[in-house]
Amino acid sequence: MRARFKDTPRERRKFLVSLSIMLSVVVAVLLWRAIIPWPSAWLAWGTVAVMLCVGLAWEAAGRCVHRAGMMLGFCMGRVFGTLFLLLLFFVVLLPLGLTLRLFGKDLLQMRKWPPVAESYWKIPRPPGSLDRMH
């Protein structure tokens, strides 16, 4: 599958601004949790500000940052999407199916039918009074 994304100046500006805000918040959280010291935080914020200014002023640099960020996001989405679906299957669906089979439950009613049935049509119940529906 190939990544498709909008590559317009407006989209690049939005991406650069949101990336800068996100990176600044990450640096602030690292500083708040005392993982990095103040000089490193100022250096990181300065780097983010320079990246934002250069990306907004120089279109080729902004395009490179935008393209790299979109490709990284696309690859991460594919990996984490696959991992999420595998986790969902092995943690939820597989135990549920094994438990239902262990207790002999047939929620789709597939085993009730004769093997050579001409039709799987069920006769509907006769309609009742509309006053007693709820």
Side-chain angles (χ1 to χ4, degrees):
M1 178 183 264
R2 196 176 151 178
R4 288 180 286 158
F5 53 90
K6 295 179 185 176
D7 194 18
T8 62
R10 183 170 187 253
E11 290 296 320
R12 286 193 295 268
R13 282 192 303 269
K14 283 188 346 185
F15 177 78
L16 284 169
V17 169
S18 62
L19 179 68
S20 299
I21 291 170
M22 185 224 21
L23 290 176
S24 298
V25 168
V26 167
V27 171
V29 168
L30 291 175
L31 183 65
W32 174 59
R33 301 291 293 169
I35 295 174
I36 61 172
W38 274 99
S40 299
W42 285 113
L43 180 66
W45 281 325
T47 306
V48 168
V50 167
M51 179 193 71
L52 176 65
C53 292
V54 168
L56 291 176
W58 187 21
E59 189 173 332
R63 182 177 287 126
C64 289
V65 171
H66 179 248
R67 182 163 298 204
M70 289 291 129
M71 291 305 293
L72 178 68
F74 175 75
C75 294
M76 286 176 58
R78 298 242 348 207
V79 169
F80 286 116
T82 303
L83 288 176
F84 173 74
L85 288 175
L86 279 171
L87 190 68
L88 177 74
F89 178 76
F90 284 116
V91 172
V92 176
L93 297 178
L94 185 67
L96 179 66
L98 292 175
T99 304
L100 289 173
R101 182 167 285 196
L102 181 69
F103 289 116
K105 296 291 182 186
D106 185 22
L107 298 179
L108 295 178
Q109 300 173 353
M110 298 291 284
R111 283 186 251 153
K112 279 176 47 174
W113 303 103
V116 290
E118 290 182 24
S119 172
Y120 292 106
W121 180 261
K122 285 183 161 182
I123 305 297
R125 293 183 304 194
S129 172
L130 294 178
D131 294 335
R132 294 186 297 144
M133 277 183 81
H134 299 287

